[in-house]
Amino acid sequence: MSTAKAALEQAGVPESLEILDLDIGGMTCAACAARIEKGLNRLPGVNKATVNLALETARVEYESGNVSETDVIHKVEQLGYKAAPRVERDQEERRHRDVTGKLSKVIVSAILSLPLLWAMAGHFSFLSWLWVPELFMKPWFQFALATPVQFLIGWQFYVGAYKALRNGSANMDVLVALGTSAAYGYSVYQTIRSSTNEHMHSVELYYETSAILITLILLGKLFEALAKGRSSEAIRSLMKLQAKSALVIRNGKEMNVPVEEVVLGDLVIVKPGEKLPVDGIVMEGSSSVDESMLTGESLPVEKQAGDSVFGATINKNGALRVQATRIGQDTALAQIIRVVEEAQSSKAPIQRVADVISGVFVPIVVGIALIVFFVWLLAVEPGSWSSSLEAAIAVLVIACPCALGLATPTSIMAGSGRAAELGILFKGGEHLEQTHTIDTVVLDKTGTITNGRPELTDLLVADGWNRDDVARWIVAAERSSEHPLAEAIVRGLQEQGGQAASAEEFKALPGYGVEATVEGRKLAIGTRLLMESGDVDFSAAASAMSELEEQGKTAMLVAVDNRHAALIAVSDTIKPTSREAVKRLKQEGLRVIMLTGDNARTAKAIAAAAGIDEVIAEVLPDGKAEEVRKLQKAGRKVAMVGDGINDAPALATADIGMAVGTGADVAMEAADVALMRGDLNGIADAISLSRQTMRNIRQNLFWALAYNVIGIPIAAFGLLAPWLAGAAMALSSVSVVLNALRLQRAKAS
């Protein structure tokens, strides 16, 4: 099951809802993407469709009972575009074909346009010294050069314009087709007129205008394709990390097999220096493993029997035997790639600004061009068709909305890709956008601020009870619990020689503790509230419990048959980077709060060690979500940071939920952002990358709109030749993409 589908099911969406990723061909500008998106969303049975111009993809959520994959593809084709199910392994080849095709067209178009440009240069007085072959000045020779550029190389613009107009809308192709056709058509008219009128000695021709415009627009598209290829480099680099083969043991023999042929349960041998081919559990051996390609953490992690390892990480110095637990699309790397793809394909809310503008932009520009044409023809230079035509063509060309459509998605692609390289997974463009608005960070304690691996420190048995009996009963009860504290208690008591027993009628009470029946005895292990609810008198242990809690330990009471029997304590040390990370968050002006179900004394001790001033303790899982809501009602933008399991309600309630951890579980968390390093510095890094990405998007939108706001009036006043307008339009698109690519080198401040 894909991460997207799992998320849909967690959100309560019917199982009949399917996800379809498509490659879209033929889009030229934001208006194209908007039209496809609008058409798909109107299709009965489609829940949501988003189209990404930069990636040339579409993601469609649809109800399989009401509409089929074929229906969706047919709708895209009906709108005048190509569509096919997305297959990742074909992406590189498709990109290569696209770039090669565009390059070929640019070369042919440039060769045919060069003599026309040369002839045009001969008309400028400041270039009077330039020799121009007489042949280049002949109208029919220029016609012969311009015609294949207009109708062979430029045919794609006519096709795109026809399809757009047929569907009742307009796009960049309409502007290009109108502008170049006007220049070419007027030139053909003048050519025919000159050949039939012997008295015409000078002819105003604009063949070079249409040919050079087409060449420059195609050149801009080529640069865009090259730049967009770089912007998806993050995904390609992740995919290249995957091992190609694996050394497995089958029927007692070692054999090398392609990684695709590894099956669950296979025992894989990983030698020093090799990549791990799959996710698994270390069965034999010990080594340090470089997990930087997954977590962004540069220091190798020590691994031994029982530890989890992940595919694509590098075994440094010892031989390991690993049992495969996740293969193929279920590995941590595959899920991370999927999350990054989904983030890059999603649409940030700020994109709506560009969508609204592009939806009405082309018709408005056509209207402006017509007004400019008639103003010039009737008022500025009465009767001068050539000057009127030049001004109108310049307006049409300078206004192409390509840059506007690329402004947001290219930045989202580059920003989310860079974040993934630093071990930060944004689950969608909207989360990348919203993260920079956070002003309050709420931190869970266990596994977030602390290492999450508590150790048993104390077992104080009350008078009248046998220590071995009590230890055996505690092990039996806690062994059925999945809580980290329970694991620490069981591990610690067994290391002390505690024997095993069987528990019956086990019951976990979140926020309180556990209850079980062991060897006919009724056990209760947990908080003061649990004891009070069972009328257990623990006054004799109250002083010792308070003392342990003041030391930063988590103390739990043990009752047997409703009588106090023991006091048990565990301690969880804070992560080495937690204090530094909290200090960094405070320096950024963020309010930092620790929210925990632990008792107040322990919580305050841990908070003090981490440098946190505000503590909300003894809060049940459901209560954590309520505490987050209280902060939101007070006007705070809240990021909840936890392990993504016990803190799920709070993560879902917060403006941004951040899951801290590593490995395959991270990609499946119901959080908005996954911090794979398990380091709280990732919070500040995520906020910093969000700020840089949003700043980049605003820069792109500003320049995309500025080109038009400044360029259209200049063109309307006749101060911009059409071929210069084409160059400026191409430059605007390329500059937006190049600006977005700066995020690939972004540093988390």
Side-chain angles (χ1 to χ4, degrees), residues 473-740:
W473 297 334
I474 293 172
V475 169
E478 294 286 17
R479 193 165 51 186
S480 299
S481 173
E482 295 181 355
H483 196 283
L485 297 182
E487 293 175 8
I489 292 169
V490 171
R491 186 173 60 251
L493 290 177
Q494 286 183 335
E495 287 173 357
Q496 295 176 16
Q499 298 179 358
S502 298
E504 301 171 359
E505 300 178 15
F506 173 82
K507 185 178 182 181
L509 304 169
Y512 292 91
V514 299
E515 291 180 347
T517 300
V518 182
E519 296 180 354
R521 300 272 193 167
K522 182 182 176 183
L523 258 73
I525 307 172
T527 64
R528 294 175 175 84
L529 292 174
L530 180 62
M531 298 299 118
E532 290 169 356
S533 66
D535 295 327
V536 176
D537 180 11
F538 57 90
S539 55
S543 176
M545 188 174 187
S546 297
E547 186 178 336
L548 290 170
E549 289 170 345
E550 286 170 1
Q551 296 170 13
K553 298 176 181 179
T554 298
M556 287 160 283
L557 295 158
V558 181
V560 180
D561 295 333
N562 288 336
R563 292 170 50 212
H564 169 63
L567 179 63
I568 193 166
V570 295
S571 178
D572 185 9
T573 57
I574 70 167
K575 295 175 182 177
T577 56
S578 289
R579 188 173 183 86
E580 172 199 340
V582 169
K583 181 180 179 182
R584 186 177 164 194
L585 291 171
K586 287 182 174 181
Q587 288 174 341
E588 291 288 331
L590 298 168
R591 180 181 175 187
V592 183
I593 302 170
M594 188 173 85
L595 181 62
T596 178
D598 214 336
N599 67 79
R601 287 192 181 90
T602 302
K604 286 179 180 177
I606 296 293
I612 299 173
D613 303 319
E614 293 186 67
V615 180
I616 304 174
E618 298 180 10
V619 181
L620 300 179
D622 289 342
K624 289 184 178 180
E626 183 56 36
E627 293 295 336
V628 169
R629 275 191 286 269
K630 287 179 183 177
L631 290 167
Q632 291 172 325
K633 287 176 182 176
R636 313 295 297 189
K637 289 287 186 180
V638 182
M640 175 67 200
V641 187
D643 62 11
I645 300 171
N646 295 332
D647 304 305
L651 285 170
T653 303
D655 296 283
I656 291 291
M658 294 187 178
V660 178
T662 57
D665 290 337
V666 172
M668 298 300 292
E669 292 290 354
D672 305 316
V673 184
L675 309 177
M676 297 184 60
R677 296 200 304 264
D679 178 354
L680 295 187
N681 277 303
I683 304 169
D685 291 345
I687 294 172
S688 173
L689 284 169
S690 174
R691 286 174 179 165
Q692 291 180 66
T693 302
M694 289 308 300
R695 184 163 58 245
N696 193 273
I697 289 173
R698 292 189 186 103
Q699 289 168 353
N700 281 350
L701 289 173
F702 171 80
W703 286 113
L705 291 169
Y707 269 105
N708 292 312
V709 171
I710 297 171
I712 289 176
I714 292 175
F717 282 107
L719 302 175
L720 194 65
W723 69 272
L724 282 175
M729 186 275 291
L731 179 63
S732 69
S733 298
V734 174
S735 64
V736 160
V737 176
L738 292 178
N739 184 53

Side-chain angles (χ1 to χ4, degrees), residues 208-479:
E208 76 284 347
T209 297
S210 63
I212 294 169
L213 274 178
I214 290 172
T215 303
L216 288 172
I217 290 166
L218 291 176
L219 182 63
K221 290 293 180 186
L222 173 63
F223 287 153
E224 279 178 30
L226 291 169
K228 286 192 289 188
R230 283 181 55 201
S231 65
S232 56
E233 185 64 34
I235 290 178
R236 292 203 298 279
S237 61
L238 283 171
M239 294 185 68
K240 289 175 184 176
L241 295 174
Q242 295 170 318
K244 301 293 185 290
S245 62
L247 183 61
V248 301
I249 300 175
R250 290 180 182 168
N251 300 321
K253 296 181 180 179
E254 295 181 7
M255 58 178 68
N256 241 314
V257 300
V259 70
E260 294 83 6
E261 294 181 13
V262 177
V263 298
L264 291 175
D266 267 347
L267 197 61
V268 181
I269 298 175
V270 188
K271 297 176 182 178
E274 291 183 343
K275 291 180 181 178
L276 278 86
V278 293
D279 294 5
I281 303 293
V282 177
M283 306 304 291
E284 295 180 32
S286 61
S287 180
S288 58
V289 176
D290 180 359
E291 296 183 342
S292 59
M293 64 286 298
L294 293 182
T295 66
E297 180 56 60
S298 59
L299 294 176
V301 181
E302 296 299 322
K303 301 289 184 180
Q304 55 189 0
D307 288 339
S308 297
V309 289
F310 307 103
T313 57
I314 300 173
N315 182 24
K316 300 293 285 185
N317 49 28
L320 296 174
R321 291 197 174 197
V322 177
Q323 185 175 44
T325 58
R326 293 179 188 269
I327 58 175
Q329 294 302 306
D330 293 327
T331 63
L333 180 63
Q335 293 185 34
I336 289 165
I337 291 172
R338 196 175 301 124
V339 169
V340 175
E341 284 180 330
E342 289 169 5
Q344 293 188 340
S345 299
S346 65
K347 184 173 291 188
I350 197 171
Q351 174 69 27
R352 296 183 194 129
V353 176
D355 289 347
V356 170
I357 295 171
S358 62
V360 297
F361 193 71
V362 175
I364 290 174
V365 168
V366 172
I368 292 173
L370 286 172
I371 292 170
V372 167
F373 176 80
F374 286 110
V375 168
W376 272 79
L377 185 64
L378 301 175
V380 181
E381 290 188 19
S384 177
W385 287 80
S386 58
S387 298
S388 305
L389 196 61
E390 271 200 20
I393 291 171
V395 169
L396 287 172
V397 174
I398 193 68
C400 286
C402 308
L404 193 63
L406 293 167
T408 299
T410 48
S411 295
I412 293 292
M413 287 169 63
S416 57
R418 177 56 178 158
E421 291 173 359
L422 296 174
I424 301 165
L425 296 183
F426 288 96
K427 302 295 182 69
E430 66 274 21
H431 308 312
L432 181 56
E433 176 178 340
Q434 291 171 7
T435 297
H436 83 287
T437 66
I438 294 303
D439 57 27
T440 303
V441 178
V442 178
L443 303 172
D444 176 47
K445 179 177 75 71
T446 306
T448 302
I449 297 172
T450 65
N451 287 302
R453 186 179 171 85
E455 302 291 338
L456 176 69
T457 58
D458 301 271
L459 174 59
L460 307 177
V461 179
D463 294 338
W465 295 96
N466 180 276
R467 181 185 176 86
D468 292 339
D469 289 341
V470 172
R472 183 172 68 254
W473 297 334
I474 293 172
V475 169
E478 294 286 17
R479 193 165 51 186

